[in-house]
Amino acid sequence: MLTFERKLWNKGKRFIAGVDEAGRGPLAGPVVAAAVVFPREVYIEGVIDSKKLTKKKRLEFFDKIQSKALSVGIGIINHQVIDNINILNATFKAMHYAIGELIPQPDHLLIDGPYFAELNIPAEKIVDGDMKSFTIAAASIIAKVTRDKIMVDYDLQYPNYGFAKHKGYGTAKHIEAIQKFGLSEIHRKSFKLHKPLKLG
């Protein structure tokens, strides 16, 4: 999980940021990106893609990552911006905000996935990066936990939809609620309803 980082450290890069997002697929709520920089050779055993972890483990790792990282940046883009500029561009914007919060600024980026709107910082795009790079996996946990907390708060404002359970994803219960109550203020109006998603 440190293969990509070590290659860059050995080339003299000091501040390597892993970047990932949570919330591209849901029907409601924001997309959240995180960027994380660790000191050289810091590693937390068990950190992998946030989707592979239990909620309890994610929360444990969230605190450990915050305590061991040199810097953590978070970018949040709301449903209105997603509707205005589309989810891909909103994701890039969230990533840019997250990277912009890092102090010091990174000298190299490791991005989860095949796409990124380039900045003036060298970047490597890695498909399934959250399973291959510790730093990206850490960012995935920060993004996921942050977004989940936002959706739990929204559940209190919009109790008819079950946001605390499905976090805005298109489950059968969520789609039923939309059909019964209509779209809430935080639903992404540009997203189309498809077949209900089964969450494992």
Side-chain angles (χ1 to χ4, degrees), residues 38-55:
F38 288 100
R40 183 167 181 156
E41 293 299 336
V42 164
Y43 179 70
I44 303 168
E45 188 67 42
V47 165
I48 53 169
D49 172 14
S50 64
K51 296 185 289 297
K52 308 285 185 190
L53 299 168
T54 63
K55 179 184 174 183

Side-chain angles (χ1 to χ4, degrees), residues 63-127:
D63 291 336
K64 281 185 185 175
I65 291 162
Q66 296 273 9
S67 67
K68 291 183 178 288
L70 277 177
S71 188
V72 174
I74 294 170
I76 302 170
I77 300 297
N78 71 24
H79 57 283
Q80 292 166 315
V81 177
I82 292 169
D83 283 338
N84 286 337
I85 67 174
N86 79 44
I87 186 59
L88 185 61
N89 287 320
T91 300
F92 294 154
K93 191 181 273 281
M95 287 178 165
H96 290 177
Y97 282 159
I99 294 160
E101 283 197 345
L102 295 171
I103 300 171
Q105 276 286 279
D107 47 24
H108 201 96
L109 306 173
L110 295 174
I111 309 291
D112 182 58
Y115 307 111
F116 182 62
E118 304 295 335
L119 294 167
N120 59 349
I121 303 168
E124 187 170 356
K125 299 178 283 291
I126 306 167
V127 175

